[in-house]
Amino acid sequence: LDARELWSAVDALDGKVHESVQVDALQVIWNMQRSFTRWLLGRPGEIPDITTAVARYHDGIRDVRRGEGILPDSLRPGYEASLREWKEKGVPAELGGQLAALPYLEPCPNIIELSRERKLKPVDVAKVYFRLAEALRVPWLQAQIEALAVDGRWHAVARGVLRDELAAQMRALTAQVLELSGGSADDRVQRWLRRDAPTLRFTLSMLSDLATQKTLDYPTASVAVQRLSQLASRG
């Protein structure tokens, strides 16, 4: 994840920004490290040693981080707002750009696995992933899951299961879209969405209805994730 370089850049801000800004920056880096570590521990098969994991994922994550045109228009305002916030806090533009991008790199391990399976560039798979996620309101659903109250160990476990299940279904659904040959990422996703599939229409309608609610509880979030699972299983 090139975290050491980011840590050094944050440390170099000593005396230049408020200490709380550095803590916030380290928290963003830590969130990405935690997410990737959880993914490695939960992936099917043997857990790879560090050298193997670096060789398998480093370049893909780097390429997605540097890629252009990956986020659809609806997700750009959030990214640009984060850029402005880091700039207002006194963080240099290059570091601010990397910190603003980190939250969007969480699905990279699954994106890289799909790119290896399909022999595609990670950037091209990422474009499909984020446009499909936009259509299925996944960024909103993911934010709702992260916002669930955690009161004790089992709430934490339940939230983690929802998070992991959502990621697994998005990987499966993205694989379906990648089966459609030809065209841009937008074209492929739109063709997939225009299918005459009752399960898809019902899922889109249900997610739109849920999005009108300000917050979700555990049972409702579970229903939404389960609905995506049913959609993925029916192809």
Side-chain angles (χ1 to χ4, degrees):
L1 301 176
D2 293 325
R4 288 188 178 88
E5 294 179 13
L6 293 174
W7 293 337
S8 296
V10 173
D11 286 343
L13 297 178
D14 285 352
K16 299 177 182 179
V17 301
H18 195 281
E19 183 178 309
S20 64
V21 175
Q22 292 174 285
V23 172
D24 289 343
L26 292 172
Q27 181 72 39
V28 172
I29 300 168
W30 181 80
N31 285 343
M32 179 60 186
Q33 290 178 283
R34 179 188 66 172
S35 172
F36 188 28
T37 301
R38 289 182 71 256
W39 185 89
L40 280 175
L41 293 173
R43 71 189 289 273
E46 184 179 356
I47 299 172
D49 60 80
I50 293 175
T51 301
T52 301
V54 170
R56 190 176 184 90
Y57 301 108
H58 174 271
D59 290 354
I61 291 176
R62 178 202 60 197
D63 292 346
V64 173
R65 180 161 49 192
R66 295 177 180 177
E68 296 182 358
I70 291 177
L71 294 181
D73 291 342
S74 69
L75 296 182
R76 293 290 305 181
Y79 169 72
E80 291 168 358
S82 181
L83 277 178
R84 289 193 300 271
E85 184 177 353
W86 288 116
K87 181 179 179 180
E88 290 167 359
K89 291 179 177 179
V91 175
E94 182 177 351
L95 177 57
Q98 293 191 65
L99 293 173
L102 280 181
Y104 298 94
L105 298 179
E106 186 170 333
C108 270
N110 281 323
I111 287 171
I112 292 168
E113 290 295 336
L114 283 172
S115 72
R116 292 171 66 92
E117 292 171 6
R118 306 281 170 160
K119 295 180 172 54
L120 298 169
K121 294 179 180 179
V123 169
D124 293 336
V125 176
K127 290 178 180 179
V128 170
Y129 177 95
F130 281 107
R131 280 153 183 78
L132 179 61
E134 174 191 37
L136 296 175
R137 300 183 182 271
V138 168
W140 170 83
L141 180 55
Q142 191 169 21
Q144 294 299 312
I145 291 173
E146 293 296 336
L148 289 170
V150 175
D151 182 16
R153 174 189 175 191
W154 294 112
H155 273 178
V157 171
R159 188 176 67 171
V161 169
L162 286 172
R163 185 193 296 121
D164 294 344
E165 184 66 16
L166 177 59
Q169 300 315 320
M170 270 304 300
R171 174 172 170 171
L173 291 166
T174 302
Q176 291 183 16
V177 178
L178 291 173
E179 290 176 2
L180 303 176
S181 60
S184 65
D186 285 301
D187 291 337
R188 286 184 174 188
V189 171
Q190 288 306 313
R191 274 187 284 149
W192 187 85
L193 291 170
R194 287 196 296 264
R195 293 175 301 134
D196 184 18
T199 302
L200 174 59
R201 291 197 301 271
F202 181 84
T203 300
L204 292 174
S205 176
M206 188 194 78
L207 292 172
S208 295
D209 289 342
L210 286 178
T212 63
Q213 301 185 38
K214 293 183 179 180
T215 59
L216 298 184
D217 54 17
Y218 280 93
T220 311
S222 179
V223 168
V225 173
Q226 181 62 28
R227 192 67 216 173
L228 291 176
S229 175
Q230 293 173 355
L231 179 62
S233 67
R234 297 189 182 185

